[in-house]
Amino acid sequence: MDEFDDFARDSRARLVGLAYSLTGDRGVSEDLAQESLLATHGAWSDVTAPLAYARRTVVHLAATRVRSAGRERRAFARWFGRGETFTELAPTDAEFWRAVAALPRRQREVIALHYVEDLPVADIALALEIAPGSVKSALHDARASLRRTLGIEGEEDR
């Protein structure tokens, strides 16, 4: 198990960062990274690309958590008559992350994996189990949407 322990030590912070970019909540991110490492540990002998497996697990867990959190927020808002607020991120980052959070799920995932994890298209495709062309398309659409939402004119996809 020394090999898994080394893997867990080396990848934990990156998994927390990925989860944070998808959820915007540090505590939830820690939990998701831990759950991902537990799942990776359980599949360790069968996994050929453990980091891709762990990233994919974080993405799936975050999507589930975000859906659940949205339902909970709406229920609390109905019960207590309060609207939803966004307070976790610093003000300078809040507008950007609100725009990212408004993207469709697949676009949020590729943006997080590409810009937070700094993964190339091929690795994102592996992590999400989709074709590289689908990753490129989602990145293109997400960038275009973010440019419109944030009022950034004249910048081309890189």
Side-chain angles (χ1 to χ4, degrees):
M1 272 300 115
D2 288 336
E3 189 177 350
F4 176 79
D5 291 344
D6 291 342
F7 166 77
R9 262 191 303 281
D10 293 343
S11 61
R12 185 182 173 288
R14 293 181 63 96
L15 295 172
V16 170
L18 174 60
Y20 185 82
S21 72
L22 294 168
T23 65
D25 184 296
R26 176 65 186 216
V28 168
S29 301
E30 296 276 347
D31 291 344
L32 295 180
Q34 185 65 27
E35 289 177 46
S36 174
L37 288 170
L38 286 170
T40 304
H41 181 264
W44 188 253
S45 62
D46 300 323
V47 173
T48 57
L51 187 55
Y53 183 90
R55 286 179 177 136
R56 184 171 47 251
T57 302
V58 165
V59 167
H60 291 302
L61 291 170
T64 300
R65 186 69 62 106
V66 167
R67 281 191 302 271
S68 295
R71 285 190 298 271
E72 288 173 9
R73 277 194 306 274
R74 288 187 297 278
F76 281 126
R78 283 191 306 272
W79 292 336
F80 299 110
R82 295 187 183 131
E84 297 180 27
T85 59
F86 184 88
T87 57
E88 182 73 26
L89 297 173
T92 56
D93 297 332
E95 181 182 7
F96 173 76
W97 287 110
R98 270 194 300 271
V100 171
L103 293 171
R105 180 182 58 89
R106 180 65 73 202
Q107 291 178 19
R108 279 193 319 269
E109 293 167 353
V110 298
I111 287 291
L113 289 167
H114 187 69
Y115 291 106
V116 175
E117 281 290 299
D118 199 28
L119 293 181
V121 168
D123 290 347
I124 296 170
L126 178 64
L128 297 178
E129 297 180 315
I130 60 175
S134 296
V135 172
K136 290 177 186 177
S137 177
L139 273 172
H140 173 80
D141 293 348
R143 289 171 178 150
S145 180
L146 289 171
R147 277 196 305 276
R148 282 189 305 275
T149 301
L150 299 172
I152 301 169
E153 299 297 324
E155 296 216 8
E156 299 294 320
D157 277 354
R158 299 179 213 278

